[in-house]
Amino acid sequence: MTTAPRRIDVHQHVVPPFYRDALTRAGIAEAGGRALPDWSPEAALDLMDLLRTETAILSVSTPGTGFLTDPGEAVGLARRLNDHSAAVTAEHPARFGWFATLPMPHLGASAKEAERALAELGADGVTLLSNTQGTYLGAEGQDALWRVLDARGAVVFVHPADLPAPAVDGIPPFAADFLLDTTRAAYLLVRNGVPRRFPNIRFVLSHAGGFVPYASHRMAVAIAADTGRSPLDTLDDLRGFYYDTALSSSPAALPTLLAFARPGHVLFGSDWPFAPAPAGQYFASGLDNGVDPHILTAVNRTNAEALFPRLAAQAPAQAPARPLPVRLRQSAQRAGARLFYKLIQPGTN
């Protein structure tokens, strides 16, 4: 590419030290089968420069506050995480945004914290895990939260969690279970009419929606048989979700996603730091080499600008000039990632 893409990354995680400490005290050393990664704003900015990302919207990954059984402790941790993310964004306003953590499954407290984060702290949206303690998004009884988010026209970033069942030996949850978890939430949201009853909420599904684009017609037939709704209406609801490309812009998955999602509804995502830099480079290369330039510009930036108007209004970020050895190393890393991507693509025989 001849110009930097100025990507907006809607799927990048924050792991503050106090959050890691809280997880450690609870005996949690990993998320989705991956060890908790190191994180700092400086490391995030280095990765963003490598991937030519201008702005990243930070979120807390699984388990969020769901590992806490005391509602007061969950609320306290959510507030602390949101105050921290707001402070990081205030320090680097052109480089970061953030999705608020809510103390699910406590609906009243989550609605209250959503109001505080969106109205007082300036959050760009909220994060909701596909399931918390076995209760999925879209289940009955969640309307109090949906009403608050609908009134705010909120963006809801849906991130997978561990399935409410034991993991299978040899299959790390992030590799397959996460995709099913997101698909389950999307199915229930549509099956129970949440997008239609609360049309101002914009849902962003992680990792290209799990299995949603691939299995959408099968799901639509099942929902039609269950509810009597038209499968065309169900497909329209599924297409109306937004989808990020984190770990998903491969030559196998990307064409299906672009063919299924509504125009303007595919967004760039990296999943850093849980997905290490080489993985981010690999899938960024798949995006850069796999789509029409106009679609690439939309996925990299303009689709996200439409979803987050403040990012469209701000001036381009002026990243500090990196020392020459750093620039040369990053250039070599990009070239190596492009070559590696091309070398391992399957043949046509």
Side-chain angles (χ1 to χ4, degrees):
M1 297 182 62
T2 58
T3 59
R6 298 182 61 215
R7 305 187 207 268
I8 296 172
D9 184 350
V10 304
H11 189 152
Q12 191 177 126
H13 294 301
V14 57
V15 191
F18 67 84
Y19 178 61
R20 178 192 295 274
D21 292 344
L23 293 175
T24 299
R25 288 193 298 272
I28 300 171
E30 61 180 33
R34 293 195 63 86
L36 294 174
D38 293 328
W39 176 89
S40 69
E42 295 75 23
L45 291 169
D46 285 343
L47 180 281
M48 290 161 64
D49 289 347
L50 178 63
L51 296 186
R52 294 174 172 167
T53 297
E54 182 168 293
T55 304
I57 302 181
L58 303 174
S59 58
V60 174
S61 185
T62 185
T65 67
F67 67 99
L68 296 169
T69 57
D70 180 84
E73 292 182 5
V75 170
L77 181 57
R79 288 177 65 92
R80 192 175 180 189
L81 286 166
N82 293 336
D83 290 342
H84 178 272
S85 295
V88 171
T89 299
E91 188 173 354
H92 307 277
R95 303 305 306 274
F96 293 120
W98 62 288
F99 292 125
T101 299
L102 303 185
M104 291 289 280
H106 311 293
L107 291 168
S110 292
K112 185 176 180 180
E113 182 59 15
E115 283 276 15
R116 186 183 83 95
L118 294 168
E120 299 178 21
L121 300 183
D124 292 293
V126 304
T127 302
L128 290 174
L129 298 180
S130 298
N131 90 84
T132 304
Q133 300 175 9
T135 298
Y136 275 87
L137 298 183
E140 299 293 338
Q142 298 171 351
D143 283 6
L145 177 59
W146 301 135
R147 280 194 292 270
V148 168
L149 297 174
D150 187 70
R152 288 278 172 190
V155 176
V156 174
F157 177 63
V158 179
H159 193 279
D162 289 344
L163 294 176
V168 177
D169 288 344
I171 304 178
F174 78 87
D177 294 356
F178 271 17
L179 304 177
L180 175 58
D181 201 55
T182 301
T183 304
R184 284 178 169 182
Y187 187 103
L188 268 185
L189 286 166
V190 170
R191 189 261 182 210
N192 290 335
V194 174
R196 295 210 166 215
R197 291 187 292 117
F198 303 98
N200 297 317
I201 300 175
R202 282 77 55 81
F203 291 95
V204 179
L205 302 184
S206 300
H207 306 120
F211 304 130
V212 170
Y214 187 80
S216 55
H217 288 252
R218 179 174 182 159
M219 293 164 62
V221 169
I223 291 173
D226 186 24
T227 65
R229 291 178 53 199
S230 164
L232 292 177
D233 288 345
T234 297
L235 286 169
D236 190 55
D237 290 347
L238 292 170
R239 292 182 68 235
F241 290 128
Y242 289 79
Y243 298 83
D244 77 45
T245 65
L247 302 179
S248 302
S249 48
S250 70
L254 187 59
T256 301
L257 174 61
L258 292 172
F260 177 73
R262 191 174 293 168
H265 281 224
V266 179
L267 313 166
F268 178 78
S270 72
D271 205 4
W272 187 86
F274 286 92
Q281 288 184 277
Y282 176 83
F283 286 101
S285 295
L287 182 62
D288 291 343
N289 291 282
V291 300
D292 176 271
H294 296 292
I295 296 176
L296 179 61
T297 299
V299 173
N300 277 335
R301 185 168 187 90
T302 55
N303 292 345
E305 286 182 328
L307 197 58
F308 307 102
R310 75 168 185 87
L311 299 180
Q314 71 184 17
Q318 298 297 320
R322 300 286 180 178
L324 179 60
V326 173
R327 298 201 305 272
L328 291 175
R329 184 185 73 243
Q330 290 187 338
S331 179
Q333 287 176 296
R334 294 187 193 105
R338 289 193 295 269
L339 178 61
F340 178 73
Y341 175 84
K342 292 178 180 178
L343 287 175
I344 70 168
Q345 299 313 308
T348 58
N349 293 334

